[in-house]
Amino acid sequence: MIIRPRLILAIVSLSALAACSAPPGTWGWYVVDPSNPSGWTNVKFLLRGFSSTIQISVLAAVASIIIGLLVALPAFAQSRWLRLPNRIYVEFIRAIPLLPMLFWVFYGLPVVLRSMGISLNIDPFWGAVITLALSDSAFTAEIFRSGIQAVPRGQAEAAQTIGLSRAQAMRYVILPQAVRRILPPLANQFIYIVKMSAFASVIGMEELTRRANELVVTEYRPLEIYTLLILEYLVLVLIISAGVRWLERKMGANESR
Amino acid sequence: MTNTEHSKHAITMDAVSKWYDDFQVLRDISLTVDHGEKLVICGPSGSGKSTIVRLLAGLETHQKGTIRVYDQPVDAQGRGDIGMVFQQFNLFPHLSVLDNLTLGPMRALGMPKPEARDRAMAYLERVRIPEQADKRPGQLSGGQQQRVAIARSLCMEPKLMLFDEPTSALDPEMIAEVLEVMEDLARDGMTMICVTHEMGFARRVADRVAFMDNGEIVEIEPPEIAFTAPKSARFAQFLDKILKH
């Protein structure tokens, strides 16, 4: 990428100028101004989306890590036939764009389940959780696989010579070391999930993005409202980043390798 | 333990050959090691000496011939019955020294934690570093790490100890402390196979010295013969090189 400092400077100063000198009516920050009553109502309406976005993201991330680990482990089986499902799952799930998968899970999966005699309605909340977890799990599985492969071979060999089974070696020796290595990429995936949860708005989930959309329809102030929406995601992601850095420091201090 | 008493030899290798793809690393190796015997294997790099101990440890498989350890195939051995010490120590960096030692007894033998701790501390005393029990391997010197690795193997109370160049990754001033622990172990009657170029150690401890070259055991004899009157020119040359430096 070519960085053009002069161009960036021009754009930034022009927009700053526009913000200062714009005639009244061009900017309508009043819609999200907490100091006036209707603005405050709007802000509260938008902020209430946090709870759904956070719940969906956390549940999807936890499920994705569990599925990812379960998918990654067979990759280390000795038998080719045990390794095959891992490859198929990763290649297949990774190839599906998030939005079509969301539609399929929300509109299609209940039909599939009904045909199997299971009568289960998937609401927007669980539709979003399932989709995000599945879609992300293919990546989590690959992260786990590379993390496990990065642990030196001698570790598994030493575990074998002190009598541990392959499963025990994985559980007590390899995985604990792999998890420390993959913490940063796993955190990246969590941030990705938080951002992708915005897609849940299209199946009617009342999260951050949906609420912003609804407010735009009534207030006709897309610029101000979407700006606030972006800030909401920014705050969320910055909090996660800080949390991960804290966790890494804590684990790194224990290791001192 | 019953196996130990009934079998004639601790180890019997009969016409063992091994290939990595087209490359033959071991050629018809036949070798017996008695109970309590200390065998030192030396030879140039790529001669197959590490491969022999790795086969005995069950870390590699061979294509031809038979290997018996106490009359059983390697993969039928009890958990941790064959101890192995690696050139790179291979301690578990995420666990404390004590946890490195208790992991095998607790998980492979199902030993309760207090008992495993007592055993671990006893072996740490034996390798003379009980005060490091709560440290991480990364906080120890190379020599200390290797002694911990030896203690970790001993915690499984193996019938046989294998050493794959245990001092090759150490700074010179740390070699002695590791060799002392190994000599101590030898005096207690442990059956040992050591791949090493420490000829002083071989002279003091070994019952026999085997010289390998090109995947074969060229000669094998007691150290007093090996170091004074090697039969083959290749061994003489090799000794000349490593003893000079």
Side-chain angles (χ1 to χ4, degrees):
Chain A
M1 195 176 74
I2 307 158
I3 300 168
R4 297 197 180 97
R6 234 178 293 169
L7 184 66
I8 294 170
L9 192 70
I11 292 170
V12 170
S13 39
L14 270 179
S15 10
L17 214 61
C20 298
S21 61
T26 306
W27 288 78
W29 288 109
Y30 64 88
V31 285
V32 289
D33 181 359
S35 61
N36 77 62
S38 70
W40 177 232
T41 312
N42 286 344
V43 169
K44 276 195 295 189
F45 175 76
L46 289 174
L47 292 182
R48 251 179 277 139
F50 266 121
S51 108
S52 296
T53 292
I54 292 171
Q55 282 178 46
I56 289 172
S57 304
V58 169
L59 282 173
V62 170
S64 162
I65 286 173
I66 294 169
I67 300 169
L69 180 59
L70 290 177
V71 171
L73 286 178
F76 298 94
Q78 278 155 328
S79 139
R80 183 184 297 263
W81 294 108
L82 278 172
R83 288 200 303 265
L84 193 63
N86 164 275
R87 281 332 299 165
I88 293 175
Y89 184 90
V90 169
E91 297 299 342
F92 187 74
I93 297 289
R94 200 162 53 176
I96 308 172
L98 192 66
L99 199 50
M101 196 199 272
L102 187 65
F103 289 145
W104 194 90
V105 167
F106 185 62
Y107 297 109
L109 192 56
V111 181
V112 175
L113 291 174
R114 222 172 296 137
S115 74
M116 287 159 61
I118 306 163
S119 168
L120 189 75
N121 244 333
I122 294 178
D123 62 14
F125 180 83
W126 287 106
V129 170
I130 294 170
T131 305
L132 286 168
L134 280 181
S135 164
D136 191 58
S137 65
F139 296 93
T140 316
E142 287 295 89
I143 291 172
F144 267 111
R145 191 169 65 87
S146 68
I148 290 168
Q149 274 169 347
V151 177
R153 240 180 79 125
Q155 292 289 307
E157 293 182 346
Q160 188 188 334
T161 60
I162 59 164
L164 301 191
S165 66
R166 278 175 68 90
Q168 286 177 323
M170 186 59 87
R171 162 81 180 75
Y172 298 111
V173 176
I174 313 292
L175 265 185
Q177 295 183 56
V179 167
R180 281 166 173 77
R181 284 162 205 258
I182 65 176
L183 212 57
L186 279 186
N188 259 339
Q189 287 307 114
F190 185 44
I191 290 170
Y192 166 88
I193 288 182
V194 169
K195 297 196 295 177
M196 292 304 135
S197 71
F199 276 113
S201 62
V202 302
I203 54 169
M205 186 63 225
E206 282 268 315
E207 39 66 76
L208 289 174
T209 303
R210 176 80 176 196
R211 279 168 183 268
N213 276 338
E214 286 172 1
L215 202 60
V216 167
V217 171
T218 56
E219 296 282 357
Y220 307 110
R221 280 286 166 193
L223 169 65
E224 294 78 6
I225 292 166
Y226 287 139
T227 302
L228 185 62
L229 176 65
I230 286 171
L231 288 177
E232 286 177 308
Y233 281 109
L234 183 70
V235 167
L236 207 50
V237 168
L238 287 179
I239 291 172
I240 297 169
S241 305
V244 171
R245 265 201 302 280
W246 173 80
L247 201 63
E248 276 176 39
R249 259 204 312 278
K250 201 173 151 231
M251 285 184 143
N254 281 342
E255 184 126 355
S256 69
R257 196 141 119 108
Chain B
M1 275 321 230
T2 45
N3 282 338
T4 321
E5 285 131 34
H6 292 302
S7 56
K8 238 174 92 196
H9 300 289
I11 297 166
T12 315
M13 293 179 83
D14 188 27
V16 173
S17 291
K18 176 177 174 61
W19 287 262
Y20 290 120
D21 297 320
D22 286 340
F23 177 69
Q24 188 167 6
V25 268
L26 294 180
R27 301 167 193 274
D28 280 328
I29 299 284
S30 292
L31 172 73
T32 57
V33 177
D34 288 333
H35 302 295
E37 185 177 351
K38 289 93 183 102
L39 174 69
V40 163
I41 305 177
C42 60
S45 61
S47 59
K49 51 198 195 307
S50 283
T51 309
I52 288 192
V53 290
R54 290 176 59 81
L55 276 177
L56 291 168
L59 299 175
E60 311 254 356
T61 51
H62 60 291
Q63 284 85 28
K64 249 181 68 191
T66 54
I67 302 178
R68 298 249 146 189
V69 179
Y70 296 103
D71 278 346
Q72 299 281 325
V74 168
D75 56 12
Q77 300 294 317
R79 290 179 151 208
D81 269 359
I82 301 178
M84 171 96 170
V85 175
F86 300 86
Q87 183 178 349
Q88 300 296 340
F89 329 134
N90 294 349
L91 291 174
F92 308 133
H94 60 299
L95 299 177
S96 71
V97 164
L98 190 65
D99 291 342
N100 264 273
L101 268 65
T102 55
L103 184 62
M106 283 171 62
R107 302 298 168 191
L109 306 177
M111 189 182 276
K113 193 167 185 179
E115 206 181 318
R117 287 178 68 100
D118 289 347
R119 184 185 275 197
M121 285 314 295
Y123 283 111
L124 278 182
E125 299 269 358
R126 180 114 193 242
V127 299
R128 298 173 207 127
I129 34 175
E131 72 281 1
Q132 311 287 2
D134 296 321
K135 291 205 179 147
R136 302 254 163 187
Q139 294 168 287
L140 305 184
S141 72
Q144 290 173 324
Q145 289 193 48
Q146 193 59 299
R147 285 187 282 152
V148 170
I150 293 172
R152 179 177 66 180
S153 279
L154 292 176
C155 274
M156 296 302 289
E157 314 219 306
K159 297 189 245 177
L160 165 70
M161 283 287 285
L162 306 167
F163 295 84
D164 188 6
E165 305 207 29
T167 57
S168 299
L170 296 177
D171 290 335
E173 73 266 32
M174 290 167 185
I175 292 176
E177 63 187 62
V178 171
L179 292 181
E180 266 168 47
V181 167
M182 289 168 64
E183 288 183 46
D184 189 41
L185 200 58
R187 271 194 295 277
D188 275 15
M190 176 67 77
T191 308
M192 293 164 64
I193 299 185
C194 312
V195 173
T196 181
H197 291 157
E198 293 297 328
M199 289 302 132
F201 170 81
R203 218 175 299 216
R204 289 192 299 275
V205 172
D207 296 303
R208 285 186 299 164
V209 176
F211 172 67
M212 287 190 71
D213 192 17
N214 216 0
E216 290 171 317
I217 295 179
V218 178
E219 54 180 292
I220 180 165
E221 65 235 336
E224 50 277 17
I225 299 174
F227 294 126
T228 51
K231 290 186 212 96
S232 65
R234 272 188 289 176
F235 191 18
Q237 254 173 11
F238 177 78
L239 282 175
D240 192 46
K241 265 187 217 149
I242 62 167
L243 292 178
K244 245 185 212 159
H245 301 290

